[in-house]
């Protein structure tokens, strides 16, 4: 550990050279009032933003020189009152765009204007700039989603801690931009959870300067603490000694333990994409609702995460520690999901952690990114690492789906499709709505729960994370599957009258408390059909049914399934065996070593052996509580 005085004298040195470069490159007209650290960025505050808005090349030139992220901030002294912003915005926003809400983040001086129609605003940069200049708030526009509740709740949380956040960003910035203590570099990867298993993904990347935690999941399918939580005990690293937490995506097996990390002393930054943050909020809330007094944390405890959040966009290099830079790339798994490219030391080692990836066709996301600038070590997920996990092509799968659905829908019956709440639910909803639109299946109702509508809303206002085609079609108001007229709400599965249609049920395992009600509604009629689109893990009702069990016991009720059961796994949000191999083939020339995680032992074992042989790169699956030397 270093002493306080050493730290501040080194900081002075670092800040002097960076600040000198910035000042040399900024003409007087910029009218700077303050330069300070803001988390992983350097914030330039001005009371005359016009010059830099009109000459934005000046800032990109400086970024090119100092290789640090810069953000333009408008001095608080020229900001108008929040209540006045609406009037200013209405002067410049076309009436047909229809402003519905404006949310403020006073700590950063940012305002988000929600509009029903966004196409005209995107076309005209002047609209944003005029509002910025007249209001003194840094403006961005978002399309108003159907449900604003989560967005407003998170805004309320961060507003309540504005003063804390201003200090927090400074504290984190000073830590990140301090001088390195040791010119040499060593790096280890400690596996804490989700290795040779699925359910509690977590690992620590440790160097002689810093500890960065990658994912922080919890396994919901066991009560044993030794299998439920990441094994922090095996590293000797205390939560307070972790410098940064990076989250690949919102699924609970990658984020569920994070509130406990805060509970036990972590108070550093949490980096993830914006959709990940919003989805996490909903998933924590639902976890507490579901587990009640058995939940491991409360609302107030998980809300602490959001005052420590630093959202990142794809493809932007960000310093998260003095010797580690991260770039997030689209992973194609769910909205906002990322693969991490971690640049360790001064180009000494490049490590890619894929997170959960989909390297294949999706109805709403782009394919996972594979063209990283440099990669020596790859850690890839192996959920579908068994040879039996090769699924039919997406085209064939759609054909099979159409055939199965038409039989049932033409007979006025019901289809139940268990799906992950976040990911497969959206994939299916969009695919099914498209199939109806293309008249491949007869017009019918697509039933979803209110919770799925809420998750859909996070997609609707984070359009930049959807694939280009869908993004364009929603922006231009040509077609928005999240507002399709075919969608109908499930309000009460026990009593509600249902027309013939398809129920997208947001639990792929069928282990939820409401599963029994849905199964009761479907199972008695041989004309009805259940289609599984992913293989649920062991010890779940879904797995029992797929394995052929037709008499099941759920919530103390016995049920006989008389309906038809089918599986089509190609709509899965994970890559299948072939897609995992195709991904490695693309990366192959650059790789030295591959590790595999996130998959049952037999799958990661099989995949490691296959990859070593076929790709001719040493591939190894790790277990939990191992330490691997990267550098
Ligand atoms: Zn996932």
């Amino acid at each position: 550990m270093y002493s306080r005085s050493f730290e501040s004298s080194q900081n002075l040195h670092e800040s002097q050279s960076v600040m000198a470069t910035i000042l040399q490159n900024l003409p007087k007209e910029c009218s700077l009032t303050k330069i300070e650290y803001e988390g992983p960025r350097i914030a330039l505050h001005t009371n005359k933003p016009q010059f830099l808005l009109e000459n934005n090349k000046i800032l990109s030139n400086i970024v090119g020189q100092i290789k640090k992220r810069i953000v333009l901030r408008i001095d608080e002294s020229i900001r108008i009152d929040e209540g006045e912003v609406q009037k200013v915005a209405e002067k410049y926003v076309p009436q047909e765009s229809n402003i519905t809400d404006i949310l403020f983040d006073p700590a950063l001086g940012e305002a988000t204007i929600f509009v029903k129609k966004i196409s005209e605003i995107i076309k005209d940069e002047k609209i944003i700039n005029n509002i910025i200049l007249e209001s003194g708030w840094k403006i961005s526009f978002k399309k108003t989603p159907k449900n604003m509740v989560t967005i407003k709740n998170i805004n309320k949380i961060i507003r309540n801690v504005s003063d804390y956040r201003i200090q927090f960003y400074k504290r984190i910035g000073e830590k990140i931009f301090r001088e390195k203590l040791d010119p040499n570099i060593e790096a280890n990867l400690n596996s804490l959870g989700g290795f040779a298993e699925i359910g509690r993904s977590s690992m620590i990347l440790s160097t002689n300067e810093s500890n960065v935690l990658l994912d922080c999941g919890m396994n919901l399918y066991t009560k044993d603490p030794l299998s439920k939580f990441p094994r922090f005990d095996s590293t000797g690293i205390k939560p307070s000694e972790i410098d940064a937490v990076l989250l690949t995506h919102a699924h609970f097996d990658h984020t569920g333990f994070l509130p406990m990390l805060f509970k036990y002393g972590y108070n550093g930054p949490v980096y993830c994409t914006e959709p990940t943050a919003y989805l996490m909020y909903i998933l924590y809330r639902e976890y507490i609702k579901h587990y009640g007094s058995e939940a491991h944390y409360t609302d107030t405890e998980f809300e602490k995460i959001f005052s420590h959040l630093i959202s990142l966009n794809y493809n932007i290099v960000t310093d998260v520690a003095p010797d580690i830079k991260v770039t997030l790339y689209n992973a194609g798994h769910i909205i906002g999901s990322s693969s991490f490219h971690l640049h360790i030391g001064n180009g000494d080692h490049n490590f890619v952690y894929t997170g959960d990836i989909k390297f294949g066709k999706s109805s709403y996301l782009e394919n996972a990114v594979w063209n990283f600038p440099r990669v020596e070590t790859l850690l890839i997920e192996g959920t579908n690492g068994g040879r039996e996990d090769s699924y039919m092509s997406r085209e064939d799968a759609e054909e099979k789906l159409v055939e199965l659905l038409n039989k049932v829908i033409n007979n006025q019956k019901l289809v139940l499709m268990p799906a992950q709440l976040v990911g497969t639910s959206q994939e299916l909803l969009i695919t099914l709505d498209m199939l109806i639109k293309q008249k491949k299946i007869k017009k019918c109702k697509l039933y979803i729960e209110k919770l799925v509508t809420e998750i859909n809303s996070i997609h609707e206002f984070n359009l930049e994370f959807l694939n280009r085609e869908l993004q364009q079609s929603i922006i231009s108001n040509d077609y928005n599957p999240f507002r399709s007229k075919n969608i109908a709400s499930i309000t009460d599965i026990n009593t509600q009258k249902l027309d013939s249609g398809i129920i997208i049920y947001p639990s792929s395992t069928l282990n939820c408390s409401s599963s029994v009600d849905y199964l009761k509604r479907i199972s008695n009629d041989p004309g009805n059909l259940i289609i599984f689109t992913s293989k649920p893990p062991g010890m779940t009702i879904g797995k029992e049914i797929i394995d052929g069990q037709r008499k099941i016991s759920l919530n103390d009720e016995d049920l006989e399934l008389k309906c038809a059961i089918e599986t089509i796994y190609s709509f899965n949000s994970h890559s299948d065996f072939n897609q995992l191999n195709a991904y490695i083939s693309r990366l192959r020339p650059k790789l030295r070593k591959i590790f595999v995680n996130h998959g049952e032992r037999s799958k990661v074992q099989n995949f490691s052996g296959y990859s070593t042989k076929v790709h001719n790169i040493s591939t190894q699956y790790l277990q939990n509580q191992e330490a691997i030397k990267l550098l």
Side-chain angles (χ1 to χ4, degrees):
M1 280 282 108
Y2 47 89
S3 73
R4 195 82 209 149
S5 59
F6 178 68
E7 184 194 11
S8 50
S9 75
Q10 292 294 312
N11 268 342
L12 196 66
H13 177 265
E14 169 77 10
S15 57
Q16 269 175 341
S17 71
V18 170
M19 299 306 170
T21 314
I22 293 174
L23 289 171
Q24 273 162 21
N25 284 279
L26 285 176
K28 269 198 199 112
E29 293 90 322
C30 297
S31 193
L32 280 198
T33 53
K34 199 164 52 171
I35 304 181
E36 63 184 11
Y37 293 122
E38 185 189 288
R41 299 172 286 232
I42 296 167
L44 307 184
H45 295 251
T46 171
N47 56 14
K48 285 188 186 137
Q50 185 159 9
F51 183 78
L52 280 171
L53 284 177
E54 285 169 1
N55 300 279
N56 48 20
K57 272 202 177 142
I58 295 179
L59 291 190
S60 47
N61 284 342
I62 300 175
V63 171
Q65 284 186 53
I66 62 173
K67 307 274 183 239
K68 313 257 180 248
R69 290 182 58 190
I70 285 188
V71 61
L72 179 64
R73 294 287 176 215
I74 302 159
D75 203 85
E76 210 181 333
S77 60
I78 61 160
R79 265 186 234 160
I80 62 170
D81 285 347
E82 291 180 11
E84 302 294 312
V85 176
Q86 173 106 14
K87 260 188 254 157
V88 174
E90 277 167 1
K91 263 169 73 180
Y92 299 103
V93 172
Q95 216 177 355
E96 65 269 25
S97 295
N98 205 336
I99 299 173
T100 59
D101 298 272
I102 305 181
L103 298 182
F104 297 91
D105 179 356
L108 300 178
E110 291 179 344
T112 310
I113 304 178
F114 289 83
V115 290
K116 281 196 175 164
K117 264 186 166 179
I118 202 161
S119 51
E120 295 308 309
I121 295 163
I122 288 174
K123 279 185 219 153
D124 189 356
E125 207 186 44
K126 274 194 216 132
I127 297 177
I128 289 195
N129 284 355
N130 282 334
I131 306 172
I132 293 177
L133 293 176
E134 202 168 323
S135 70
W137 287 87
K138 197 160 182 201
I139 302 291
S140 62
F141 280 92
K142 290 270 191 187
K143 186 176 163 60
T144 312
K146 190 164 182 177
N147 184 323
M148 286 284 293
V149 177
T150 307
I151 300 161
K152 287 185 176 171
N153 283 346
I154 294 183
N155 184 252
K156 202 166 146 196
I157 297 170
I158 62 166
R159 285 186 62 105
N160 282 341
V161 288
S162 285
D163 291 342
Y164 172 81
R165 281 170 59 229
I166 292 169
Q167 294 311 316
F168 164 74
Y169 291 135
K170 268 195 217 161
R171 166 167 67 86
I172 297 308
E174 279 163 14
K175 255 179 110 175
I176 293 172
F177 296 115
R178 70 169 168 79
E179 195 78 352
K180 277 182 232 162
L181 303 170
D182 188 347
N184 303 307
I185 181 129
E186 285 183 357
N188 291 302
L189 188 70
N190 294 278
S191 54
L192 309 184
F195 288 80
E197 63 173 9
I198 297 179
R200 46 167 169 170
S201 284
S202 193
M203 67 204 82
I204 290 187
L205 175 63
S206 287
T207 68
N208 33 354
E209 299 273 350
S210 31
N211 296 311
V212 173
L213 186 74
L214 312 179
D215 281 341
C216 193
M218 191 199 286
N219 187 349
L220 286 174
Y221 300 108
T222 171
K223 286 195 168 166
D224 172 17
L226 290 182
S227 327
K228 193 176 181 72
F229 308 129
R231 296 298 304 269
F232 284 90
D233 55 312
S234 65
T235 63
I237 298 169
K238 295 187 195 116
S240 58
E241 291 168 345
I242 295 170
D243 298 291
V245 174
L246 275 60
L247 302 173
T248 55
H249 66 290
H251 280 152
F252 209 76
D253 61 331
H254 294 254
T255 60
F257 189 77
L258 186 55
M260 289 179 78
L261 199 71
F262 275 92
K263 208 167 157 176
Y264 291 111
Y266 180 65
N267 74 345
V270 175
Y271 297 96
C272 62
T273 62
E274 213 169 286
T276 300
Y278 287 106
L279 293 171
M280 254 159 63
Y281 178 91
I282 301 176
L283 296 183
Y284 289 139
R285 189 198 66 201
E286 289 303 306
Y287 163 73
I288 290 171
K289 213 191 264 179
H290 185 82
Y291 286 88
S293 59
E294 281 181 34
H296 291 278
Y297 37 85
T298 62
D299 290 53
T300 326
E301 280 163 345
F302 85 67
E303 284 176 1
K304 216 175 163 188
I305 291 173
F306 297 89
S307 36
H308 293 81
L309 204 73
I310 299 178
S311 63
L312 300 179
N313 281 328
Y314 292 145
N315 310 323
I316 294 174
V317 183
T318 302
D319 293 83
V320 290
D323 57 346
I324 299 176
K325 294 180 201 296
V326 69
T327 315
L328 272 54
Y329 290 94
N330 170 40
H333 170 61
I334 62 171
I335 190 167
S337 65
S338 317
S339 297
F340 296 149
H341 179 274
L342 293 140
H343 178 99
I344 306 164
N346 209 358
D348 298 282
H349 197 82
N350 293 276
F351 169 56
V352 166
Y353 166 39
T354 63
D356 294 358
I357 41 164
K358 176 75 173 181
F359 193 56
K361 194 172 185 294
S362 149
S363 60
Y364 73 114
L365 298 175
E366 297 287 355
N367 224 346
V369 168
W370 55 271
N371 48 347
F372 305 104
R374 258 181 68 188
V375 197
E376 281 89 39
T377 306
L378 173 73
L379 173 66
I380 188 168
E381 66 128 325
T383 313
N384 292 320
R387 290 194 198 207
E388 67 282 11
D389 301 321
S390 308
Y391 307 140
M392 64 172 84
S393 73
R394 175 70 191 222
E395 288 73 21
D396 290 348
E398 273 185 26
E399 220 169 276
K400 182 178 172 188
L401 184 67
V402 166
E403 199 182 307
L404 289 172
L405 293 176
N406 276 333
K407 265 190 229 159
V408 182
I409 304 300
N410 290 343
N411 287 332
Q412 297 294 308
K413 301 287 182 182
L414 280 168
V415 180
L416 178 73
M417 298 188 78
Q420 270 176 317
L421 169 63
V422 183
T424 336
S425 288
Q426 288 68 41
E427 182 71 53
L428 291 176
L429 181 71
I430 296 166
T431 304
L432 294 169
D433 195 57
M434 281 299 292
L435 292 174
I436 295 175
K437 200 170 164 244
Q438 294 161 354
K439 299 194 166 43
K440 289 187 179 166
I441 50 175
K442 209 171 139 185
K443 198 169 171 57
C444 66
K445 288 276 189 313
L446 302 175
Y447 289 104
I448 57 174
E449 288 187 354
K450 206 173 136 219
L451 183 57
V452 179
T453 310
E454 207 183 338
I455 299 289
N456 290 349
S457 287
I458 306 301
H459 292 68
E460 241 189 303
F461 95 101
N462 282 293
L463 295 176
E464 59 277 32
F465 289 86
L466 302 177
N467 70 28
R468 202 172 292 251
E469 207 183 334
L470 187 57
Q471 205 179 110
Q472 283 310 322
S473 112
I474 296 178
I475 288 173
S476 59
N477 286 316
D478 284 347
Y479 170 62
N480 180 353
F482 301 113
R483 301 285 182 106
S484 165
K485 290 204 168 69
N486 299 320
I487 296 175
S489 274
I490 296 261
T491 44
D492 184 347
I493 189 66
N494 293 311
T495 56
Q496 192 177 346
K497 184 188 171 305
L498 298 179
D499 297 324
S500 170
I502 303 157
I503 304 169
I504 299 173
Y505 177 59
S507 163
S508 55
T509 58
L510 290 174
N511 262 34
C512 279
S513 50
S514 62
S515 301
V516 69
D517 301 323
Y518 280 83
L519 285 173
K520 269 202 267 177
R521 191 77 199 243
I522 295 285
S523 61
N524 227 357
D525 188 335
N528 289 342
L529 168 67
I530 303 177
I531 306 176
F532 286 92
T533 51
S534 61
K535 283 184 192 170
M539 309 287 285
T540 59
I541 297 297
K543 177 88 170 35
E544 278 181 32
I545 299 174
I546 287 174
D547 289 346
Q549 191 69 257
R550 292 295 174 261
K551 284 184 180 167
I552 56 161
S553 179
L554 188 59
N555 296 359
D556 300 324
E557 288 196 56
D558 293 326
L559 216 63
E560 190 178 349
L561 304 178
K562 293 178 188 156
C563 60
I565 314 280
E566 291 282 351
T567 57
I568 310 179
Y569 295 138
S570 308
F571 300 98
N572 201 306
S573 58
H574 289 270
S575 301
D576 76 351
F577 181 76
N578 296 329
Q579 290 163 343
L580 288 174
N581 283 301
Y583 178 88
I584 292 178
S585 296
R586 291 281 178 107
L587 284 172
R588 202 173 58 94
K590 306 169 188 170
L591 287 176
R592 280 191 220 148
K593 177 89 192 168
I594 302 175
F595 295 107
V596 188
N597 77 334
H598 201 283
E600 286 166 23
R601 182 181 302 269
S602 62
K603 310 243 179 200
V604 289
Q605 194 168 19
N606 170 70
F607 191 69
S608 304
Y610 183 88
S611 168
T612 305
K613 216 160 70 191
V614 171
H615 301 294
N616 199 20
I617 304 165
S618 162
T619 308
Q620 192 188 334
Y621 74 94
L622 300 179
Q623 316 214 33
N624 294 328
Q625 298 177 272
E626 281 195 62
I628 296 295
K629 197 168 164 51
L630 294 177
L631 190 66

